[in-house]
PDB file of all heavy atoms in Angstrom:
ATOM      1  N   ASP A   1       0.862  -1.190  -0.002  1.00 94.00           N
ATOM      2  CA  ASP A   1      -0.004  -0.001   0.000  1.00 94.00           C
ATOM      3  C   ASP A   1       0.898   1.238   0.000  1.00 94.00           C
ATOM      4  O   ASP A   1       1.984   1.229   0.596  1.00 94.00           O
ATOM      5  CB  ASP A   1      -0.887   0.056   1.242  1.00 94.00           C
ATOM      6  CG  ASP A   1      -2.034  -0.944   1.219  1.00 94.00           C
ATOM      7  OD1 ASP A   1      -2.228  -1.618   0.189  1.00 94.00           O
ATOM      8  OD2 ASP A   1      -2.731  -1.048   2.233  1.00 94.00           O
ATOM      9  N   GLN A   2       0.448   2.288  -0.660  1.00 94.00           N
ATOM     10  CA  GLN A   2       1.228   3.511  -0.683  1.00 94.00           C
ATOM     11  C   GLN A   2       0.420   4.671  -0.135  1.00 94.00           C
ATOM     12  O   GLN A   2      -0.801   4.745  -0.339  1.00 94.00           O
ATOM     13  CB  GLN A   2       1.682   3.838  -2.104  1.00 94.00           C
ATOM     14  CG  GLN A   2       2.704   2.855  -2.612  1.00 94.00           C
ATOM     15  CD  GLN A   2       3.286   3.275  -3.936  1.00 94.00           C
ATOM     16  OE1 GLN A   2       2.593   3.769  -4.801  1.00 94.00           O
ATOM     17  NE2 GLN A   2       4.596   3.081  -4.073  1.00 94.00           N
ATOM     18  N   ILE A   3       1.105   5.550   0.560  1.00 90.00           N
ATOM     19  CA  ILE A   3       0.518   6.771   1.096  1.00 90.00           C
ATOM     20  C   ILE A   3       1.207   7.920   0.364  1.00 90.00           C
ATOM     21  O   ILE A   3       2.430   8.029   0.409  1.00 90.00           O
ATOM     22  CB  ILE A   3       0.746   6.896   2.609  1.00 90.00           C
ATOM     23  CG1 ILE A   3       0.202   5.676   3.340  1.00 90.00           C
ATOM     24  CG2 ILE A   3       0.108   8.186   3.133  1.00 90.00           C
ATOM     25  CD1 ILE A   3       0.693   5.544   4.764  1.00 90.00           C
ATOM     26  N   ILE A   4       0.437   8.723  -0.335  1.00 93.00           N
ATOM     27  CA  ILE A   4       0.988   9.866  -1.078  1.00 93.00           C
ATOM     28  C   ILE A   4       0.631  11.121  -0.307  1.00 93.00           C
ATOM     29  O   ILE A   4      -0.539  11.348   0.017  1.00 93.00           O
ATOM     30  CB  ILE A   4       0.408   9.902  -2.507  1.00 93.00           C
ATOM     31  CG1 ILE A   4       0.758   8.585  -3.218  1.00 93.00           C
ATOM     32  CG2 ILE A   4       0.946  11.119  -3.263  1.00 93.00           C
ATOM     33  CD1 ILE A   4      -0.012   8.354  -4.484  1.00 93.00           C
ATOM     34  N   ILE A   5       1.636  11.927  -0.012  1.00 89.00           N
ATOM     35  CA  ILE A   5       1.482  13.055   0.895  1.00 89.00           C
ATOM     36  C   ILE A   5       1.992  14.333   0.239  1.00 89.00           C
ATOM     37  O   ILE A   5       3.064  14.338  -0.373  1.00 89.00           O
ATOM     38  CB  ILE A   5       2.280  12.792   2.194  1.00 89.00           C
ATOM     39  CG1 ILE A   5       1.766  11.525   2.853  1.00 89.00           C
ATOM     40  CG2 ILE A   5       2.216  13.992   3.132  1.00 89.00           C
ATOM     41  CD1 ILE A   5       2.727  10.929   3.843  1.00 89.00           C
ATOM     42  N   THR A   6       1.237  15.413   0.366  1.00 92.00           N
ATOM     43  CA  THR A   6       1.708  16.728  -0.076  1.00 92.00           C
ATOM     44  C   THR A   6       1.472  17.734   1.041  1.00 92.00           C
ATOM     45  O   THR A   6       0.554  17.580   1.851  1.00 92.00           O
ATOM     46  CB  THR A   6       0.992  17.202  -1.356  1.00 92.00           C
ATOM     47  OG1 THR A   6      -0.408  17.236  -1.114  1.00 92.00           O
ATOM     48  CG2 THR A   6       1.294  16.283  -2.529  1.00 92.00           C
ATOM     49  N   ALA A   7       2.317  18.759   1.098  1.00 92.00           N
ATOM     50  CA  ALA A   7       2.203  19.754   2.166  1.00 92.00           C
ATOM     51  C   ALA A   7       2.811  21.076   1.723  1.00 92.00           C
ATOM     52  O   ALA A   7       3.660  21.124   0.831  1.00 92.00           O
ATOM     53  CB  ALA A   7       2.930  19.265   3.414  1.00 92.00           C
ATOM     54  N   LYS A   8       2.369  22.130   2.374  1.00 96.00           N
ATOM     55  CA  LYS A   8       2.990  23.450   2.247  1.00 96.00           C
ATOM     56  C   LYS A   8       3.967  23.592   3.408  1.00 96.00           C
ATOM     57  O   LYS A   8       3.698  23.160   4.518  1.00 96.00           O
ATOM     58  CB  LYS A   8       1.939  24.553   2.333  1.00 96.00           C
ATOM     59  CG  LYS A   8       1.034  24.604   1.128  1.00 96.00           C
ATOM     60  CD  LYS A   8       0.049  25.747   1.249  1.00 96.00           C
ATOM     61  CE  LYS A   8      -0.863  25.800   0.036  1.00 96.00           C
ATOM     62  NZ  LYS A   8      -1.851  26.883   0.158  1.00 96.00           N
ATOM     63  N   LEU A   9       5.102  24.244   3.127  1.00 94.00           N
ATOM     64  CA  LEU A   9       6.130  24.455   4.139  1.00 94.00           C
ATOM     65  C   LEU A   9       6.154  25.918   4.559  1.00 94.00           C
ATOM     66  O   LEU A   9       5.932  26.804   3.734  1.00 94.00           O
ATOM     67  CB  LEU A   9       7.503  24.066   3.577  1.00 94.00           C
ATOM     68  CG  LEU A   9       7.611  22.643   3.065  1.00 94.00           C
ATOM     69  CD1 LEU A   9       8.973  22.430   2.422  1.00 94.00           C
ATOM     70  CD2 LEU A   9       7.370  21.664   4.176  1.00 94.00           C
ATOM     71  N   PHE A  10       6.467  26.133   5.844  1.00 95.00           N
ATOM     72  CA  PHE A  10       6.482  27.494   6.392  1.00 95.00           C
ATOM     73  C   PHE A  10       7.724  27.720   7.234  1.00 95.00           C
ATOM     74  O   PHE A  10       8.196  26.826   7.926  1.00 95.00           O
ATOM     75  CB  PHE A  10       5.239  27.732   7.250  1.00 95.00           C
ATOM     76  CG  PHE A  10       3.972  27.623   6.469  1.00 95.00           C
ATOM     77  CD1 PHE A  10       3.328  26.407   6.343  1.00 95.00           C
ATOM     78  CD2 PHE A  10       3.444  28.732   5.828  1.00 95.00           C
ATOM     79  CE1 PHE A  10       2.170  26.288   5.599  1.00 95.00           C
ATOM     80  CE2 PHE A  10       2.278  28.628   5.084  1.00 95.00           C
ATOM     81  CZ  PHE A  10       1.639  27.400   4.960  1.00 95.00           C
ATOM     82  N   ARG A  11       8.215  28.941   7.167  1.00 93.00           N
ATOM     83  CA  ARG A  11       9.310  29.397   8.004  1.00 93.00           C
ATOM     84  C   ARG A  11       8.835  30.678   8.688  1.00 93.00           C
ATOM     85  O   ARG A  11       8.453  31.636   8.010  1.00 93.00           O
ATOM     86  CB  ARG A  11      10.537  29.688   7.148  1.00 93.00           C
ATOM     87  CG  ARG A  11      11.675  30.268   7.940  1.00 93.00           C
ATOM     88  CD  ARG A  11      12.835  30.610   7.031  1.00 93.00           C
ATOM     89  NE  ARG A  11      13.539  31.730   7.617  1.00 93.00           N
ATOM     90  CZ  ARG A  11      14.147  32.676   6.944  1.00 93.00           C
ATOM     91  NH1 ARG A  11      14.157  32.641   5.633  1.00 93.00           N
ATOM     92  NH2 ARG A  11      14.750  33.641   7.559  1.00 93.00           N
ATOM     93  N   ASN A  12       8.836  30.694  10.003  1.00 92.00           N
ATOM     94  CA  ASN A  12       8.366  31.860  10.756  1.00 92.00           C
ATOM     95  C   ASN A  12       6.970  32.282  10.304  1.00 92.00           C
ATOM     96  O   ASN A  12       6.680  33.477  10.185  1.00 92.00           O
ATOM     97  CB  ASN A  12       9.342  33.026  10.628  1.00 92.00           C
ATOM     98  CG  ASN A  12      10.685  32.688  11.221  1.00 92.00           C
ATOM     99  OD1 ASN A  12      10.781  31.953  12.192  1.00 92.00           O
ATOM    100  ND2 ASN A  12      11.735  33.224  10.631  1.00 92.00           N
ATOM    101  N   GLY A  13       6.109  31.320   9.996  1.00 92.00           N
ATOM    102  CA  GLY A  13       4.733  31.610   9.615  1.00 92.00           C
ATOM    103  C   GLY A  13       4.538  32.045   8.180  1.00 92.00           C
ATOM    104  O   GLY A  13       3.423  32.277   7.742  1.00 92.00           O
ATOM    105  N   ARG A  14       5.619  32.138   7.394  1.00 96.00           N
ATOM    106  CA  ARG A  14       5.521  32.574   5.993  1.00 96.00           C
ATOM    107  C   ARG A  14       5.753  31.379   5.068  1.00 96.00           C
ATOM    108  O   ARG A  14       6.604  30.529   5.329  1.00 96.00           O
ATOM    109  CB  ARG A  14       6.550  33.649   5.687  1.00 96.00           C
ATOM    110  CG  ARG A  14       6.342  34.873   6.519  1.00 96.00           C
ATOM    111  CD  ARG A  14       7.380  35.907   6.183  1.00 96.00           C
ATOM    112  NE  ARG A  14       6.663  37.179   6.209  1.00 96.00           N
ATOM    113  CZ  ARG A  14       6.975  38.215   5.503  1.00 96.00           C
ATOM    114  NH1 ARG A  14       7.997  38.189   4.698  1.00 96.00           N
ATOM    115  NH2 ARG A  14       6.271  39.318   5.593  1.00 96.00           N
ATOM    116  N   SER A  15       5.041  31.363   3.977  1.00 97.00           N
ATOM    117  CA  SER A  15       5.180  30.306   2.981  1.00 97.00           C
ATOM    118  C   SER A  15       6.633  30.181   2.543  1.00 97.00           C
ATOM    119  O   SER A  15       7.298  31.184   2.274  1.00 97.00           O
ATOM    120  CB  SER A  15       4.289  30.611   1.781  1.00 97.00           C
ATOM    121  OG  SER A  15       4.408  29.585   0.827  1.00 97.00           O
ATOM    122  N   TYR A  16       7.139  28.910   2.470  1.00 95.00           N
ATOM    123  CA  TYR A  16       8.537  28.718   2.106  1.00 95.00           C
ATOM    124  C   TYR A  16       8.770  27.504   1.212  1.00 95.00           C
ATOM    125  O   TYR A  16       9.876  27.017   1.084  1.00 95.00           O
ATOM    126  CB  TYR A  16       9.396  28.607   3.367  1.00 95.00           C
ATOM    127  CG  TYR A  16      10.849  28.874   3.084  1.00 95.00           C
ATOM    128  CD1 TYR A  16      11.299  30.171   2.865  1.00 95.00           C
ATOM    129  CD2 TYR A  16      11.769  27.843   3.015  1.00 95.00           C
ATOM    130  CE1 TYR A  16      12.627  30.423   2.592  1.00 95.00           C
ATOM    131  CE2 TYR A  16      13.104  28.096   2.738  1.00 95.00           C
ATOM    132  CZ  TYR A  16      13.524  29.392   2.532  1.00 95.00           C
ATOM    133  OH  TYR A  16      14.843  29.649   2.247  1.00 95.00           O
ATOM    134  N   GLY A  17       7.731  26.980   0.589  1.00 96.00           N
ATOM    135  CA  GLY A  17       7.933  25.868  -0.330  1.00 96.00           C
ATOM    136  C   GLY A  17       6.873  24.800  -0.176  1.00 96.00           C
ATOM    137  O   GLY A  17       5.844  24.990   0.487  1.00 96.00           O
ATOM    138  N   THR A  18       7.149  23.680  -0.800  1.00 94.00           N
ATOM    139  CA  THR A  18       6.216  22.551  -0.770  1.00 94.00           C
ATOM    140  C   THR A  18       6.980  21.255  -0.539  1.00 94.00           C
ATOM    141  O   THR A  18       8.202  21.198  -0.679  1.00 94.00           O
ATOM    142  CB  THR A  18       5.433  22.434  -2.100  1.00 94.00           C
ATOM    143  OG1 THR A  18       6.369  22.276  -3.164  1.00 94.00           O
ATOM    144  CG2 THR A  18       4.554  23.649  -2.339  1.00 94.00           C
ATOM    145  N   GLU A  19       6.220  20.220  -0.214  1.00 91.00           N
ATOM    146  CA  GLU A  19       6.788  18.900  -0.018  1.00 91.00           C
ATOM    147  C   GLU A  19       5.894  17.874  -0.673  1.00 91.00           C
ATOM    148  O   GLU A  19       4.672  18.015  -0.689  1.00 91.00           O
ATOM    149  CB  GLU A  19       6.904  18.570   1.475  1.00 91.00           C
ATOM    150  CG  GLU A  19       7.392  17.164   1.709  1.00 91.00           C
ATOM    151  CD  GLU A  19       7.253  16.711   3.148  1.00 91.00           C
ATOM    152  OE1 GLU A  19       6.417  17.266   3.876  1.00 91.00           O
ATOM    153  OE2 GLU A  19       7.965  15.787   3.514  1.00 91.00           O
ATOM    154  N   ALA A  20       6.500  16.821  -1.192  1.00 93.00           N
ATOM    155  CA  ALA A  20       5.761  15.666  -1.699  1.00 93.00           C
ATOM    156  C   ALA A  20       6.509  14.429  -1.238  1.00 93.00           C
ATOM    157  O   ALA A  20       7.745  14.411  -1.207  1.00 93.00           O
ATOM    158  CB  ALA A  20       5.666  15.696  -3.214  1.00 93.00           C
ATOM    159  N   ALA A  21       5.746  13.392  -0.857  1.00 92.00           N
ATOM    160  CA  ALA A  21       6.365  12.155  -0.383  1.00 92.00           C
ATOM    161  C   ALA A  21       5.490  10.964  -0.750  1.00 92.00           C
ATOM    162  O   ALA A  21       4.275  11.101  -0.895  1.00 92.00           O
ATOM    163  CB  ALA A  21       6.558  12.202   1.131  1.00 92.00           C
ATOM    164  N   VAL A  22       6.147   9.816  -0.854  1.00 95.00           N
ATOM    165  CA  VAL A  22       5.441   8.548  -1.064  1.00 95.00           C
ATOM    166  C   VAL A  22       5.973   7.582  -0.015  1.00 95.00           C
ATOM    167  O   VAL A  22       7.184   7.362   0.084  1.00 95.00           O
ATOM    168  CB  VAL A  22       5.678   7.976  -2.469  1.00 95.00           C
ATOM    169  CG1 VAL A  22       5.012   6.611  -2.606  1.00 95.00           C
ATOM    170  CG2 VAL A  22       5.172   8.931  -3.539  1.00 95.00           C
ATOM    171  N   CYS A  23       5.065   7.019   0.773  1.00 92.00           N
ATOM    172  CA  CYS A  23       5.419   6.030   1.784  1.00 92.00           C
ATOM    173  C   CYS A  23       4.815   4.694   1.363  1.00 92.00           C
ATOM    174  O   CYS A  23       3.626   4.622   1.049  1.00 92.00           O
ATOM    175  CB  CYS A  23       4.883   6.431   3.150  1.00 92.00           C
ATOM    176  SG  CYS A  23       5.601   7.964   3.782  1.00 92.00           S
ATOM    177  N   THR A  24       5.636   3.652   1.357  1.00 94.00           N
ATOM    178  CA  THR A  24       5.186   2.327   0.972  1.00 94.00           C
ATOM    179  C   THR A  24       5.245   1.411   2.182  1.00 94.00           C
ATOM    180  O   THR A  24       6.267   1.358   2.880  1.00 94.00           O
ATOM    181  CB  THR A  24       6.093   1.755  -0.148  1.00 94.00           C
ATOM    182  OG1 THR A  24       6.072   2.664  -1.253  1.00 94.00           O
ATOM    183  CG2 THR A  24       5.612   0.390  -0.594  1.00 94.00           C
ATOM    184  N   ARG A  25       4.151   0.689   2.435  1.00 94.00           N
ATOM    185  CA  ARG A  25       4.114  -0.253   3.555  1.00 94.00           C
ATOM    186  C   ARG A  25       4.963  -1.458   3.183  1.00 94.00           C
ATOM    187  O   ARG A  25       4.705  -2.133   2.192  1.00 94.00           O
ATOM    188  CB  ARG A  25       2.682  -0.682   3.853  1.00 94.00           C
ATOM    189  CG  ARG A  25       2.583  -1.502   5.129  1.00 94.00           C
ATOM    190  CD  ARG A  25       1.156  -1.673   5.603  1.00 94.00           C
ATOM    191  NE  ARG A  25       0.446  -0.419   5.786  1.00 94.00           N
ATOM    192  CZ  ARG A  25       0.611   0.435   6.801  1.00 94.00           C
ATOM    193  NH1 ARG A  25       1.476   0.160   7.748  1.00 94.00           N
ATOM    194  NH2 ARG A  25      -0.099   1.533   6.874  1.00 94.00           N
ATOM    195  N   VAL A  26       6.015  -1.728   3.982  1.00 94.00           N
ATOM    196  CA  VAL A  26       6.930  -2.823   3.709  1.00 94.00           C
ATOM    197  C   VAL A  26       6.817  -3.953   4.736  1.00 94.00           C
ATOM    198  O   VAL A  26       7.420  -5.009   4.566  1.00 94.00           O
ATOM    199  CB  VAL A  26       8.389  -2.326   3.615  1.00 94.00           C
ATOM    200  CG1 VAL A  26       8.551  -1.387   2.421  1.00 94.00           C
ATOM    201  CG2 VAL A  26       8.833  -1.659   4.903  1.00 94.00           C
ATOM    202  N   ALA A  27       6.077  -3.721   5.789  1.00 92.00           N
ATOM    203  CA  ALA A  27       5.768  -4.712   6.829  1.00 92.00           C
ATOM    204  C   ALA A  27       4.467  -4.240   7.470  1.00 92.00           C
ATOM    205  O   ALA A  27       4.049  -3.096   7.253  1.00 92.00           O
ATOM    206  CB  ALA A  27       6.896  -4.805   7.851  1.00 92.00           C
ATOM    207  N   PRO A  28       3.799  -5.090   8.257  1.00 87.00           N
ATOM    208  CA  PRO A  28       2.495  -4.688   8.791  1.00 87.00           C
ATOM    209  C   PRO A  28       2.467  -3.319   9.468  1.00 87.00           C
ATOM    210  O   PRO A  28       1.509  -2.588   9.322  1.00 87.00           O
ATOM    211  CB  PRO A  28       2.162  -5.811   9.771  1.00 87.00           C
ATOM    212  CG  PRO A  28       2.845  -7.002   9.187  1.00 87.00           C
ATOM    213  CD  PRO A  28       4.137  -6.471   8.600  1.00 87.00           C
ATOM    214  N   ALA A  29       3.515  -2.926  10.184  1.00 90.00           N
ATOM    215  CA  ALA A  29       3.509  -1.631  10.873  1.00 90.00           C
ATOM    216  C   ALA A  29       4.697  -0.769  10.464  1.00 90.00           C
ATOM    217  O   ALA A  29       5.082   0.149  11.184  1.00 90.00           O
ATOM    218  CB  ALA A  29       3.508  -1.848  12.385  1.00 90.00           C
ATOM    219  N   THR A  30       5.294  -1.049   9.303  1.00 93.00           N
ATOM    220  CA  THR A  30       6.499  -0.337   8.873  1.00 93.00           C
ATOM    221  C   THR A  30       6.312   0.269   7.487  1.00 93.00           C
ATOM    222  O   THR A  30       5.830  -0.401   6.580  1.00 93.00           O
ATOM    223  CB  THR A  30       7.716  -1.279   8.863  1.00 93.00           C
ATOM    224  OG1 THR A  30       7.873  -1.845  10.160  1.00 93.00           O
ATOM    225  CG2 THR A  30       8.988  -0.551   8.474  1.00 93.00           C
ATOM    226  N   THR A  31       6.715   1.536   7.344  1.00 92.00           N
ATOM    227  CA  THR A  31       6.682   2.196   6.040  1.00 92.00           C
ATOM    228  C   THR A  31       8.077   2.709   5.686  1.00 92.00           C
ATOM    229  O   THR A  31       8.853   3.097   6.557  1.00 92.00           O
ATOM    230  CB  THR A  31       5.702   3.387   6.010  1.00 92.00           C
ATOM    231  OG1 THR A  31       6.045   4.302   7.059  1.00 92.00           O
ATOM    232  CG2 THR A  31       4.264   2.939   6.152  1.00 92.00           C
ATOM    233  N   HIS A  32       8.360   2.671   4.395  1.00 95.00           N
ATOM    234  CA  HIS A  32       9.575   3.266   3.838  1.00 95.00           C
ATOM    235  C   HIS A  32       9.122   4.488   3.060  1.00 95.00           C
ATOM    236  O   HIS A  32       8.312   4.381   2.143  1.00 95.00           O
ATOM    237  CB  HIS A  32      10.299   2.289   2.921  1.00 95.00           C
ATOM    238  CG  HIS A  32      11.520   2.888   2.307  1.00 95.00           C
ATOM    239  ND1 HIS A  32      11.550   3.326   1.003  1.00 95.00           N
ATOM    240  CD2 HIS A  32      12.737   3.173   2.823  1.00 95.00           C
ATOM    241  CE1 HIS A  32      12.742   3.829   0.744  1.00 95.00           C
ATOM    242  NE2 HIS A  32      13.476   3.744   1.823  1.00 95.00           N
ATOM    243  N   CYS A  33       9.602   5.669   3.451  1.00 93.00           N
ATOM    244  CA  CYS A  33       9.158   6.918   2.833  1.00 93.00           C
ATOM    245  C   CYS A  33      10.313   7.613   2.124  1.00 93.00           C
ATOM    246  O   CYS A  33      11.439   7.622   2.622  1.00 93.00           O
ATOM    247  CB  CYS A  33       8.599   7.863   3.885  1.00 93.00           C
ATOM    248  SG  CYS A  33       7.164   7.228   4.766  1.00 93.00           S
ATOM    249  N   VAL A  34      10.013   8.187   0.967  1.00 96.00           N
ATOM    250  CA  VAL A  34      10.951   9.044   0.247  1.00 96.00           C
ATOM    251  C   VAL A  34      10.202  10.319  -0.105  1.00 96.00           C
ATOM    252  O   VAL A  34       9.001  10.286  -0.389  1.00 96.00           O
ATOM    253  CB  VAL A  34      11.528   8.372  -1.020  1.00 96.00           C
ATOM    254  CG1 VAL A  34      12.374   7.187  -0.660  1.00 96.00           C
ATOM    255  CG2 VAL A  34      10.428   7.975  -1.976  1.00 96.00           C
ATOM    256  N   GLY A  35      10.893  11.443  -0.045  1.00 92.00           N
ATOM    257  CA  GLY A  35      10.220  12.705  -0.322  1.00 92.00           C
ATOM    258  C   GLY A  35      11.170  13.769  -0.820  1.00 92.00           C
ATOM    259  O   GLY A  35      12.390  13.606  -0.797  1.00 92.00           O
ATOM    260  N   THR A  36      10.575  14.870  -1.266  1.00 93.00           N
ATOM    261  CA  THR A  36      11.320  16.011  -1.768  1.00 93.00           C
ATOM    262  C   THR A  36      10.733  17.289  -1.204  1.00 93.00           C
ATOM    263  O   THR A  36       9.521  17.458  -1.184  1.00 93.00           O
ATOM    264  CB  THR A  36      11.257  16.061  -3.311  1.00 93.00           C
ATOM    265  OG1 THR A  36      11.789  14.852  -3.830  1.00 93.00           O
ATOM    266  CG2 THR A  36      12.054  17.244  -3.851  1.00 93.00           C
ATOM    267  N   PHE A  37      11.609  18.174  -0.744  1.00 91.00           N
ATOM    268  CA  PHE A  37      11.233  19.501  -0.329  1.00 91.00           C
ATOM    269  C   PHE A  37      11.605  20.436  -1.467  1.00 91.00           C
ATOM    270  O   PHE A  37      12.769  20.471  -1.868  1.00 91.00           O
ATOM    271  CB  PHE A  37      11.992  19.947   0.916  1.00 91.00           C
ATOM    272  CG  PHE A  37      11.854  19.018   2.074  1.00 91.00           C
ATOM    273  CD1 PHE A  37      12.949  18.313   2.532  1.00 91.00           C
ATOM    274  CD2 PHE A  37      10.642  18.853   2.724  1.00 91.00           C
ATOM    275  CE1 PHE A  37      12.834  17.472   3.616  1.00 91.00           C
ATOM    276  CE2 PHE A  37      10.519  18.012   3.795  1.00 91.00           C
ATOM    277  CZ  PHE A  37      11.618  17.313   4.251  1.00 91.00           C
ATOM    278  N   SER A  38      10.683  21.188  -1.968  1.00 95.00           N
ATOM    279  CA  SER A  38      10.961  22.179  -2.999  1.00 95.00           C
ATOM    280  C   SER A  38      10.980  23.542  -2.326  1.00 95.00           C
ATOM    281  O   SER A  38       9.958  24.039  -1.861  1.00 95.00           O
ATOM    282  CB  SER A  38       9.894  22.133  -4.093  1.00 95.00           C
ATOM    283  OG  SER A  38      10.206  23.056  -5.113  1.00 95.00           O
ATOM    284  N   LEU A  39      12.179  24.132  -2.249  1.00 93.00           N
ATOM    285  CA  LEU A  39      12.397  25.384  -1.534  1.00 93.00           C
ATOM    286  C   LEU A  39      12.798  26.477  -2.523  1.00 93.00           C
ATOM    287  O   LEU A  39      13.164  26.185  -3.649  1.00 93.00           O
ATOM    288  CB  LEU A  39      13.488  25.184  -0.492  1.00 93.00           C
ATOM    289  CG  LEU A  39      13.262  24.024   0.485  1.00 93.00           C
ATOM    290  CD1 LEU A  39      14.457  23.857   1.397  1.00 93.00           C
ATOM    291  CD2 LEU A  39      11.994  24.233   1.266  1.00 93.00           C
ATOM    292  N   PRO A  40      12.779  27.724  -2.117  1.00 92.00           N
ATOM    293  CA  PRO A  40      13.119  28.811  -3.029  1.00 92.00           C
ATOM    294  C   PRO A  40      14.504  28.686  -3.689  1.00 92.00           C
ATOM    295  O   PRO A  40      14.684  29.104  -4.825  1.00 92.00           O
ATOM    296  CB  PRO A  40      13.059  30.061  -2.156  1.00 92.00           C
ATOM    297  CG  PRO A  40      12.104  29.715  -1.071  1.00 92.00           C
ATOM    298  CD  PRO A  40      12.339  28.245  -0.815  1.00 92.00           C
ATOM    299  N   LEU A  41      15.483  28.085  -3.003  1.00 92.00           N
ATOM    300  CA  LEU A  41      16.848  28.035  -3.532  1.00 92.00           C
ATOM    301  C   LEU A  41      17.278  26.649  -3.981  1.00 92.00           C
ATOM    302  O   LEU A  41      18.468  26.401  -4.207  1.00 92.00           O
ATOM    303  CB  LEU A  41      17.819  28.588  -2.498  1.00 92.00           C
ATOM    304  CG  LEU A  41      17.556  30.043  -2.097  1.00 92.00           C
ATOM    305  CD1 LEU A  41      18.480  30.462  -0.967  1.00 92.00           C
ATOM    306  CD2 LEU A  41      17.710  30.969  -3.288  1.00 92.00           C
TER     307      LEU A  41
END
């Protein structure tokens, strides 16, 4: 099973980028997640 996650990122309450991740269930209670933070720089 996969969990696809997206989020907005904030620094000091101000918008600072986005995040996307995919977590795959590899055991009954274990997930392996990989993600990327997209930041201004």
Side-chain angles (χ1 to χ4, degrees):
D1 286 354
Q2 292 188 320
I3 304 165
I4 301 166
I5 301 161
T6 57
K8 290 182 180 178
L9 303 175
F10 298 90
R11 175 183 150 213
N12 297 327
R14 298 180 141 209
S15 181
Y16 199 75
T18 58
E19 175 192 23
V22 176
C23 296
T24 303
R25 188 167 305 285
V26 296
T30 303
T31 55
H32 178 257
C33 299
V34 295
T36 301
F37 304 114
S38 182
L39 306 175
L41 300 174

